[in-house]
Short mmCIF file of all heavy atoms in Angstrom, two decimals:
data_model
loop_
_atom_site.label_atom_id
_atom_site.label_comp_id
_atom_site.label_asym_id
_atom_site.label_seq_id
_atom_site.Cartn_x
_atom_site.Cartn_y
_atom_site.Cartn_z
N ASN A 281 -284.69 -9.61 -166.30
CA ASN A 281 -285.42 -10.81 -165.97
C ASN A 281 -286.88 -10.53 -165.61
O ASN A 281 -287.74 -11.38 -165.83
CB ASN A 281 -284.73 -11.55 -164.82
CG ASN A 281 -283.40 -12.16 -165.23
OD1 ASN A 281 -283.14 -12.36 -166.41
ND2 ASN A 281 -282.57 -12.48 -164.25
N ALA A 282 -287.15 -9.36 -165.05
CA ALA A 282 -288.52 -9.00 -164.72
C ALA A 282 -289.39 -8.88 -165.96
O ALA A 282 -290.60 -9.09 -165.89
CB ALA A 282 -288.55 -7.70 -163.91
N LYS A 283 -288.78 -8.51 -167.09
CA LYS A 283 -289.51 -8.37 -168.34
C LYS A 283 -289.29 -9.55 -169.29
O LYS A 283 -289.79 -9.53 -170.41
CB LYS A 283 -289.10 -7.08 -169.05
CG LYS A 283 -289.45 -5.82 -168.28
CD LYS A 283 -289.04 -4.58 -169.05
CE LYS A 283 -289.42 -3.32 -168.30
NZ LYS A 283 -289.01 -2.09 -169.03
N ASN A 284 -288.54 -10.55 -168.85
CA ASN A 284 -288.22 -11.70 -169.69
C ASN A 284 -287.66 -11.27 -171.04
O ASN A 284 -288.07 -11.76 -172.10
CB ASN A 284 -289.45 -12.58 -169.89
CG ASN A 284 -289.72 -13.50 -168.73
OD1 ASN A 284 -289.12 -13.39 -167.66
ND2 ASN A 284 -290.64 -14.44 -168.92
N THR A 285 -286.71 -10.35 -171.01
CA THR A 285 -286.20 -9.76 -172.23
C THR A 285 -284.68 -9.63 -172.18
O THR A 285 -284.11 -9.26 -171.15
CB THR A 285 -286.82 -8.38 -172.48
OG1 THR A 285 -288.24 -8.51 -172.55
CG2 THR A 285 -286.32 -7.78 -173.79
N VAL A 286 -284.03 -9.92 -173.31
CA VAL A 286 -282.61 -9.66 -173.47
C VAL A 286 -282.45 -8.65 -174.60
O VAL A 286 -283.19 -8.67 -175.58
CB VAL A 286 -281.82 -10.97 -173.76
CG1 VAL A 286 -282.30 -11.63 -175.04
CG2 VAL A 286 -280.33 -10.69 -173.82
N TYR A 287 -281.48 -7.74 -174.44
CA TYR A 287 -281.27 -6.66 -175.38
C TYR A 287 -279.89 -6.72 -176.00
O TYR A 287 -278.95 -7.26 -175.41
CB TYR A 287 -281.42 -5.30 -174.68
CG TYR A 287 -282.75 -5.10 -174.02
CD1 TYR A 287 -282.92 -5.38 -172.66
CD2 TYR A 287 -283.84 -4.62 -174.73
CE1 TYR A 287 -284.14 -5.19 -172.04
CE2 TYR A 287 -285.07 -4.43 -174.11
CZ TYR A 287 -285.21 -4.71 -172.77
OH TYR A 287 -286.43 -4.53 -172.16
N LEU A 288 -279.77 -6.13 -177.17
CA LEU A 288 -278.47 -5.92 -177.79
C LEU A 288 -278.43 -4.49 -178.30
O LEU A 288 -279.08 -4.15 -179.28
CB LEU A 288 -278.24 -6.90 -178.95
CG LEU A 288 -276.85 -6.82 -179.60
CD1 LEU A 288 -275.78 -7.32 -178.64
CD2 LEU A 288 -276.82 -7.61 -180.90
N GLN A 289 -277.67 -3.65 -177.60
CA GLN A 289 -277.47 -2.27 -178.02
C GLN A 289 -276.30 -2.24 -178.99
O GLN A 289 -275.19 -2.66 -178.64
CB GLN A 289 -277.18 -1.38 -176.82
CG GLN A 289 -276.90 0.08 -177.17
CD GLN A 289 -278.11 0.78 -177.74
OE1 GLN A 289 -279.21 0.67 -177.21
NE2 GLN A 289 -277.92 1.51 -178.83
N MET A 290 -276.53 -1.75 -180.20
CA MET A 290 -275.53 -1.73 -181.25
C MET A 290 -275.21 -0.29 -181.61
O MET A 290 -276.09 0.43 -182.11
CB MET A 290 -276.01 -2.50 -182.47
CG MET A 290 -276.45 -3.93 -182.17
SD MET A 290 -276.88 -4.88 -183.65
CE MET A 290 -278.33 -3.97 -184.18
N ASN A 291 -273.99 0.13 -181.36
CA ASN A 291 -273.53 1.48 -181.67
C ASN A 291 -272.44 1.44 -182.73
O ASN A 291 -271.82 0.40 -182.96
CB ASN A 291 -273.01 2.17 -180.41
CG ASN A 291 -274.05 2.34 -179.34
OD1 ASN A 291 -275.23 2.55 -179.63
ND2 ASN A 291 -273.63 2.27 -178.09
N SER A 292 -272.19 2.58 -183.34
CA SER A 292 -271.13 2.71 -184.35
C SER A 292 -271.24 1.62 -185.40
O SER A 292 -270.26 0.96 -185.75
CB SER A 292 -269.75 2.69 -183.68
OG SER A 292 -269.62 3.73 -182.74
N LEU A 293 -272.42 1.43 -185.92
CA LEU A 293 -272.67 0.34 -186.85
C LEU A 293 -271.91 0.52 -188.15
O LEU A 293 -271.73 1.64 -188.64
CB LEU A 293 -274.16 0.22 -187.12
CG LEU A 293 -274.95 -0.45 -185.99
CD1 LEU A 293 -276.43 -0.15 -186.11
CD2 LEU A 293 -274.71 -1.96 -186.00
N LYS A 294 -271.48 -0.61 -188.70
CA LYS A 294 -270.72 -0.66 -189.94
C LYS A 294 -271.48 -1.48 -190.97
O LYS A 294 -272.27 -2.35 -190.60
CB LYS A 294 -269.35 -1.30 -189.70
CG LYS A 294 -268.52 -0.65 -188.61
CD LYS A 294 -267.26 -1.46 -188.35
CE LYS A 294 -266.43 -0.85 -187.25
NZ LYS A 294 -265.21 -1.65 -186.98
N PRO A 295 -271.24 -1.26 -192.26
CA PRO A 295 -271.91 -2.08 -193.27
C PRO A 295 -271.69 -3.58 -193.07
O PRO A 295 -272.59 -4.37 -193.36
CB PRO A 295 -271.27 -1.59 -194.58
CG PRO A 295 -270.93 -0.17 -194.31
CD PRO A 295 -270.48 -0.16 -192.87
N GLU A 296 -270.54 -3.97 -192.56
CA GLU A 296 -270.27 -5.38 -192.32
C GLU A 296 -271.07 -5.97 -191.17
O GLU A 296 -271.03 -7.19 -190.95
CB GLU A 296 -268.77 -5.63 -192.11
CG GLU A 296 -268.13 -4.73 -191.08
CD GLU A 296 -267.44 -3.52 -191.70
OE1 GLU A 296 -268.04 -2.88 -192.59
OE2 GLU A 296 -266.30 -3.23 -191.30
N ASP A 297 -271.80 -5.14 -190.42
CA ASP A 297 -272.72 -5.64 -189.40
C ASP A 297 -274.04 -6.10 -189.99
O ASP A 297 -274.87 -6.67 -189.27
CB ASP A 297 -272.99 -4.56 -188.35
CG ASP A 297 -271.76 -4.20 -187.54
OD1 ASP A 297 -271.00 -5.11 -187.16
OD2 ASP A 297 -271.56 -3.00 -187.29
N THR A 298 -274.26 -5.86 -191.27
CA THR A 298 -275.49 -6.27 -191.92
C THR A 298 -275.66 -7.78 -191.85
O THR A 298 -274.78 -8.53 -192.27
CB THR A 298 -275.50 -5.81 -193.38
OG1 THR A 298 -275.50 -4.38 -193.43
CG2 THR A 298 -276.73 -6.32 -194.11
N ALA A 299 -276.78 -8.23 -191.31
CA ALA A 299 -277.02 -9.66 -191.12
C ALA A 299 -278.41 -9.85 -190.53
O ALA A 299 -279.06 -8.89 -190.11
CB ALA A 299 -275.98 -10.27 -190.18
N VAL A 300 -278.84 -11.10 -190.50
CA VAL A 300 -279.99 -11.47 -189.69
C VAL A 300 -279.47 -11.80 -188.30
O VAL A 300 -278.55 -12.61 -188.15
CB VAL A 300 -280.74 -12.68 -190.28
CG1 VAL A 300 -281.90 -13.09 -189.37
CG2 VAL A 300 -281.27 -12.33 -191.67
N TYR A 301 -280.06 -11.19 -187.29
CA TYR A 301 -279.63 -11.38 -185.91
C TYR A 301 -280.60 -12.30 -185.19
O TYR A 301 -281.82 -12.11 -185.25
CB TYR A 301 -279.54 -10.04 -185.19
CG TYR A 301 -278.31 -9.26 -185.57
CD1 TYR A 301 -278.20 -8.69 -186.84
CD2 TYR A 301 -277.26 -9.10 -184.68
CE1 TYR A 301 -277.06 -7.99 -187.21
CE2 TYR A 301 -276.12 -8.39 -185.04
CZ TYR A 301 -276.02 -7.85 -186.30
OH TYR A 301 -274.89 -7.15 -186.66
N TYR A 302 -280.05 -13.29 -184.50
CA TYR A 302 -280.84 -14.29 -183.81
C TYR A 302 -280.56 -14.28 -182.31
O TYR A 302 -279.40 -14.20 -181.89
CB TYR A 302 -280.52 -15.69 -184.33
CG TYR A 302 -280.83 -15.91 -185.78
CD1 TYR A 302 -279.87 -15.69 -186.76
CD2 TYR A 302 -282.09 -16.36 -186.18
CE1 TYR A 302 -280.15 -15.89 -188.10
CE2 TYR A 302 -282.37 -16.57 -187.51
CZ TYR A 302 -281.40 -16.34 -188.47
OH TYR A 302 -281.68 -16.55 -189.80
N CYS A 303 -281.60 -14.40 -181.53
CA CYS A 303 -281.49 -14.58 -180.09
C CYS A 303 -281.57 -16.07 -179.78
O CYS A 303 -282.33 -16.80 -180.43
CB CYS A 303 -282.63 -13.84 -179.39
SG CYS A 303 -282.69 -14.01 -177.61
N ALA A 304 -280.80 -16.53 -178.81
CA ALA A 304 -280.78 -17.93 -178.44
C ALA A 304 -280.67 -18.09 -176.93
O ALA A 304 -280.14 -17.21 -176.24
CB ALA A 304 -279.62 -18.65 -179.13
N ALA A 305 -281.14 -19.22 -176.42
CA ALA A 305 -281.14 -19.48 -174.98
C ALA A 305 -280.68 -20.91 -174.70
O ALA A 305 -280.95 -21.83 -175.47
CB ALA A 305 -282.52 -19.26 -174.39
N THR A 306 -279.99 -21.08 -173.56
CA THR A 306 -279.56 -22.39 -173.14
C THR A 306 -279.53 -22.46 -171.62
O THR A 306 -279.31 -21.45 -170.94
CB THR A 306 -278.17 -22.74 -173.69
OG1 THR A 306 -277.82 -24.07 -173.30
CG2 THR A 306 -277.11 -21.78 -173.17
N ILE A 307 -279.73 -23.66 -171.10
CA ILE A 307 -279.59 -23.91 -169.68
C ILE A 307 -278.39 -24.82 -169.42
O ILE A 307 -278.19 -25.31 -168.31
CB ILE A 307 -280.89 -24.50 -169.10
CG1 ILE A 307 -280.95 -24.32 -167.58
CG2 ILE A 307 -281.06 -25.95 -169.52
CD1 ILE A 307 -282.32 -24.58 -167.00
N SER A 308 -277.56 -25.01 -170.43
CA SER A 308 -276.42 -25.91 -170.36
C SER A 308 -275.47 -25.55 -169.23
O SER A 308 -275.12 -24.38 -169.03
CB SER A 308 -275.65 -25.91 -171.67
OG SER A 308 -274.46 -26.65 -171.57
N SER A 309 -275.00 -26.57 -168.52
CA SER A 309 -274.02 -26.36 -167.46
C SER A 309 -272.63 -26.07 -168.00
O SER A 309 -271.74 -25.67 -167.24
CB SER A 309 -273.96 -27.60 -166.56
OG SER A 309 -273.57 -28.75 -167.29
N SER A 310 -272.44 -26.23 -169.31
CA SER A 310 -271.16 -25.96 -169.95
C SER A 310 -271.07 -24.58 -170.56
O SER A 310 -270.17 -24.29 -171.34
CB SER A 310 -270.89 -27.01 -171.04
OG SER A 310 -270.86 -28.32 -170.51
N TRP A 311 -271.99 -23.70 -170.21
CA TRP A 311 -272.09 -22.41 -170.86
C TRP A 311 -270.79 -21.61 -170.81
O TRP A 311 -270.39 -21.02 -171.82
CB TRP A 311 -273.22 -21.59 -170.23
CG TRP A 311 -273.46 -20.31 -170.96
CD1 TRP A 311 -274.23 -20.12 -172.06
CD2 TRP A 311 -272.91 -19.02 -170.64
NE1 TRP A 311 -274.21 -18.80 -172.45
CE2 TRP A 311 -273.40 -18.10 -171.60
CE3 TRP A 311 -272.05 -18.56 -169.64
CZ2 TRP A 311 -273.06 -16.75 -171.57
CZ3 TRP A 311 -271.72 -17.21 -169.62
CH2 TRP A 311 -272.23 -16.33 -170.57
N TYR A 312 -270.11 -21.59 -169.69
CA TYR A 312 -268.91 -20.78 -169.56
C TYR A 312 -267.78 -21.25 -170.45
O TYR A 312 -266.87 -20.48 -170.75
CB TYR A 312 -268.45 -20.74 -168.10
CG TYR A 312 -269.20 -19.75 -167.27
CD1 TYR A 312 -270.26 -20.16 -166.45
CD2 TYR A 312 -268.88 -18.40 -167.29
CE1 TYR A 312 -270.96 -19.25 -165.69
CE2 TYR A 312 -269.58 -17.49 -166.53
CZ TYR A 312 -270.62 -17.91 -165.73
OH TYR A 312 -271.33 -17.01 -164.97
N LEU A 313 -267.83 -22.50 -170.88
CA LEU A 313 -266.83 -23.04 -171.78
C LEU A 313 -267.22 -22.92 -173.25
O LEU A 313 -266.36 -22.79 -174.11
CB LEU A 313 -266.57 -24.52 -171.45
CG LEU A 313 -266.01 -24.84 -170.08
CD1 LEU A 313 -265.95 -26.35 -169.89
CD2 LEU A 313 -264.63 -24.23 -169.91
N LEU A 314 -268.53 -22.94 -173.53
CA LEU A 314 -269.00 -23.12 -174.90
C LEU A 314 -269.97 -22.04 -175.37
O LEU A 314 -270.70 -22.25 -176.34
CB LEU A 314 -269.67 -24.49 -175.02
CG LEU A 314 -268.82 -25.70 -174.62
CD1 LEU A 314 -269.68 -26.95 -174.59
CD2 LEU A 314 -267.65 -25.86 -175.57
N PHE A 315 -269.96 -20.88 -174.74
CA PHE A 315 -270.98 -19.87 -175.02
C PHE A 315 -270.98 -19.36 -176.45
O PHE A 315 -271.99 -18.82 -176.91
CB PHE A 315 -270.84 -18.68 -174.05
CG PHE A 315 -269.49 -18.03 -174.07
CD1 PHE A 315 -269.17 -17.09 -175.03
CD2 PHE A 315 -268.54 -18.35 -173.12
CE1 PHE A 315 -267.93 -16.48 -175.06
CE2 PHE A 315 -267.28 -17.75 -173.13
CZ PHE A 315 -266.99 -16.82 -174.11
N ALA A 316 -269.85 -19.46 -177.16
CA ALA A 316 -269.76 -18.95 -178.52
C ALA A 316 -270.15 -19.99 -179.58
O ALA A 316 -270.11 -19.67 -180.77
CB ALA A 316 -268.35 -18.45 -178.80
N ARG A 317 -270.51 -21.18 -179.17
CA ARG A 317 -270.88 -22.23 -180.11
C ARG A 317 -272.40 -22.28 -180.27
O ARG A 317 -273.13 -22.49 -179.31
CB ARG A 317 -270.37 -23.58 -179.63
CG ARG A 317 -268.86 -23.65 -179.51
CD ARG A 317 -268.42 -25.05 -179.15
NE ARG A 317 -266.98 -25.15 -178.95
CZ ARG A 317 -266.33 -26.27 -178.68
NH1 ARG A 317 -267.01 -27.42 -178.57
NH2 ARG A 317 -265.02 -26.25 -178.50
N SER A 318 -272.85 -22.11 -181.49
CA SER A 318 -274.29 -22.09 -181.73
C SER A 318 -274.96 -23.41 -181.35
O SER A 318 -276.12 -23.42 -180.94
CB SER A 318 -274.59 -21.76 -183.19
OG SER A 318 -274.03 -22.72 -184.07
N GLY A 319 -274.22 -24.52 -181.45
CA GLY A 319 -274.77 -25.82 -181.12
C GLY A 319 -275.11 -26.00 -179.66
O GLY A 319 -275.83 -26.94 -179.31
N LEU A 320 -274.61 -25.14 -178.80
CA LEU A 320 -274.91 -25.22 -177.37
C LEU A 320 -276.35 -24.81 -177.06
O LEU A 320 -276.92 -25.28 -176.08
CB LEU A 320 -273.94 -24.33 -176.59
CG LEU A 320 -274.11 -24.29 -175.07
CD1 LEU A 320 -273.67 -25.62 -174.45
CD2 LEU A 320 -273.30 -23.15 -174.48
N TYR A 321 -276.91 -23.96 -177.88
CA TYR A 321 -278.18 -23.33 -177.55
C TYR A 321 -279.38 -24.20 -177.94
O TYR A 321 -279.42 -24.77 -179.04
CB TYR A 321 -278.26 -21.95 -178.19
CG TYR A 321 -277.25 -21.01 -177.57
CD1 TYR A 321 -275.94 -21.00 -178.01
CD2 TYR A 321 -277.61 -20.18 -176.51
CE1 TYR A 321 -275.00 -20.16 -177.42
CE2 TYR A 321 -276.68 -19.35 -175.92
CZ TYR A 321 -275.38 -19.35 -176.37
OH TYR A 321 -274.45 -18.52 -175.77
N ASP A 322 -280.35 -24.26 -177.06
CA ASP A 322 -281.51 -25.12 -177.22
C ASP A 322 -282.68 -24.44 -177.91
O ASP A 322 -283.49 -25.10 -178.56
CB ASP A 322 -281.97 -25.63 -175.86
CG ASP A 322 -280.87 -26.35 -175.10
OD1 ASP A 322 -280.38 -27.38 -175.61
OD2 ASP A 322 -280.50 -25.89 -174.00
N TYR A 323 -282.79 -23.13 -177.75
CA TYR A 323 -283.94 -22.38 -178.25
C TYR A 323 -283.47 -21.18 -179.06
O TYR A 323 -282.52 -20.50 -178.67
CB TYR A 323 -284.82 -21.91 -177.09
CG TYR A 323 -285.24 -23.03 -176.18
CD1 TYR A 323 -284.60 -23.25 -174.98
CD2 TYR A 323 -286.28 -23.89 -176.55
CE1 TYR A 323 -284.98 -24.29 -174.14
CE2 TYR A 323 -286.65 -24.94 -175.73
CZ TYR A 323 -286.00 -25.13 -174.53
OH TYR A 323 -286.37 -26.17 -173.71
N TRP A 324 -284.16 -20.92 -180.16
CA TRP A 324 -283.81 -19.85 -181.09
C TRP A 324 -285.03 -19.04 -181.50
O TRP A 324 -286.12 -19.59 -181.67
CB TRP A 324 -283.16 -20.42 -182.35
CG TRP A 324 -281.83 -21.04 -182.11
CD1 TRP A 324 -281.57 -22.30 -181.66
CD2 TRP A 324 -280.56 -20.41 -182.30
NE1 TRP A 324 -280.21 -22.50 -181.56
CE2 TRP A 324 -279.57 -21.37 -181.94
CE3 TRP A 324 -280.16 -19.16 -182.74
CZ2 TRP A 324 -278.20 -21.08 -182.02
CZ3 TRP A 324 -278.80 -18.87 -182.82
CH2 TRP A 324 -277.84 -19.83 -182.46
N GLY A 325 -284.83 -17.74 -181.66
CA GLY A 325 -285.86 -16.90 -182.24
C GLY A 325 -285.85 -17.00 -183.75
O GLY A 325 -285.03 -17.69 -184.35
#
């Protein structure tokens, strides 16, 4: 939070991991129920 940064460390990568990776943010109060739904997120890189 001090650097305003979120990281994703990816180890043991496989060819099936090939993709465009997107960061997203939300302030939704329903996050604990819906965190895996892309529609929950308000902001995208």
Side-chain angles (χ1 to χ4, degrees):
N281 290 341
K283 296 181 178 179
N284 279 10
T285 302
V286 61
Y287 302 95
L288 184 69
Q289 178 67 46
M290 305 185 294
N291 298 326
S292 301
L293 283 162
K294 305 173 181 179
E296 50 263 46
D297 294 318
T298 296
V300 177
Y301 284 71
Y302 298 92
C303 178
T306 183
I307 200 166
S308 173
S309 61
S310 300
W311 186 85
Y312 279 98
L313 297 175
L314 304 171
F315 57 83
R317 299 185 183 183
S318 61
L320 180 70
Y321 293 84
D322 304 299
Y323 306 101
W324 293 83

